[in-house]
Amino acid sequence: MALNNSYDARPVHQETAVGAGVQILLLALIGTAIGMGPAGWLAGLAFAVATWAVLSRALQRSGLRSFGAANRVTLGRATLVGGVTALVAESFQGAPPVTLFVGLTAVALVLDGVDGKVARRTGTATPLGARFDMEVDAFLILVLSVYVSMAMGPWVLLIGGMRYVFVAAARVWPWLTAPLPPSTARKTVAVLQGVLLLVAGAALLPHAVNAGVVALALGLLVWSFGRDVLWLWRTSRVATAPAVPEVRRELVAG
């Protein structure tokens, strides 16, 4: 009798569809609250569709039979990031309500420390979950850098674009894809990017102070990426170095 090893992807795909539905509901609530225009709607809907499509394809490839509580938290964060994306797109035509912008972003940043803990406590940590979490973080930083750059200048975009430049560079230099050792400093710098950009984006401090806050974020990020790239380069040099011939001493019987 042949064993039935078929994989039913419907349960996990249903969760991504629910996530897309919640995203649309959040956009509707934001639109009702602030009278969101076409730019905000298009950006938010594009984010929702892209998240659903990419995540569904990744889940299909991974073969996961359960979405998991940690991924649900990350999906919730992604929904909030979609709302922030819509507000930032809307800001090109007029400043969005600061309270709403700060509130959505702050909750998304706080939840960033929740999904990892949930995954570890429930024993459901997966490479897909870690990648999903990282991509949501990276896109939020990109969106925040776009928002802050409208007041500070295009140099702020270096913060949001640095991770994507690193990914593109890895296609040219494969040694950049090697796994990095765990680093508390790297995690701290990553968390600070969102916090410092949010502080600057809230515009509660003088312009010069906000510029200093953003410059600090960029400096920390350059240091963190530079340190990791240097480590990867040195490691690749050691791995590709020619082996030193072993010197053997023959014992001669006298």
Side-chain angles (χ1 to χ4, degrees):
M1 180 182 296
L3 295 177
N4 183 10
N5 293 323
S6 61
Y7 164 61
D8 186 1
R10 286 176 297 178
V12 290
H13 282 227
Q14 288 171 357
E15 300 219 29
T16 60
V18 170
V22 173
Q23 178 73 86
I24 294 173
L25 176 60
L26 176 62
L27 293 175
L29 292 174
I30 294 174
T32 302
I34 68 171
M36 192 162 60
W41 273 105
L42 287 174
L45 290 175
F47 179 87
V49 171
T51 301
W52 170 80
V54 173
L55 185 56
S56 296
R57 184 173 180 81
L59 286 168
Q60 183 68 39
R61 289 181 174 181
S62 69
L64 289 178
R65 298 179 180 275
S66 174
F67 196 67
N71 284 334
R72 293 189 187 101
V73 175
T74 308
L75 185 58
R77 286 203 305 116
T79 302
L80 296 174
V81 173
V84 175
T85 301
L87 289 175
V88 171
E90 191 70 13
S91 69
F92 284 93
Q93 298 178 346
V98 175
T99 302
L100 182 58
F101 170 78
V102 172
L104 291 178
T105 305
V107 175
L109 291 174
V110 170
L111 289 178
D112 186 24
V114 175
D115 45 13
K117 291 181 179 179
V118 171
R120 289 187 292 271
R121 289 182 179 179
T122 58
T124 56
T126 62
L128 173 62
R131 181 64 182 272
F132 184 26
D133 178 61
M134 180 176 63
E135 295 298 339
V136 172
D137 290 342
F139 193 80
L140 176 59
I141 298 303
L142 176 62
V143 171
L144 290 177
S145 68
V146 170
Y147 181 74
V148 176
S149 71
M150 288 187 279
M152 298 289 173
W155 63 274
V156 183
L157 296 175
L158 292 172
I159 297 176
M162 197 170 299
R163 190 257 173 182
Y164 295 99
V165 170
F166 180 85
V167 172
R171 294 182 178 273
V172 180
W173 298 293
W175 51 268
L176 288 172
T177 61
L180 287 163
S183 171
T184 301
R186 184 188 310 117
K187 294 179 180 179
T188 303
V189 170
V191 170
L192 284 174
Q193 298 306 303
V195 174
L196 294 176
L197 284 173
L198 178 57
V199 169
L204 299 177
L205 301 174
H207 182 83
V209 176
N210 285 331
V213 167
V214 178
L216 174 61
L218 179 58
L220 290 172
L221 194 61
V222 169
W223 170 80
S224 180
F225 268 96
R227 189 185 65 156
D228 287 344
V229 169
L230 182 59
W231 187 91
L232 291 169
W233 179 75
R234 287 176 174 173
T235 303
S236 70
R237 292 291 297 268
V238 172
T240 58
V244 178
E246 181 181 358
V247 178
R248 296 182 178 178
R249 294 182 179 180
E250 299 293 343
L251 297 178
V252 180

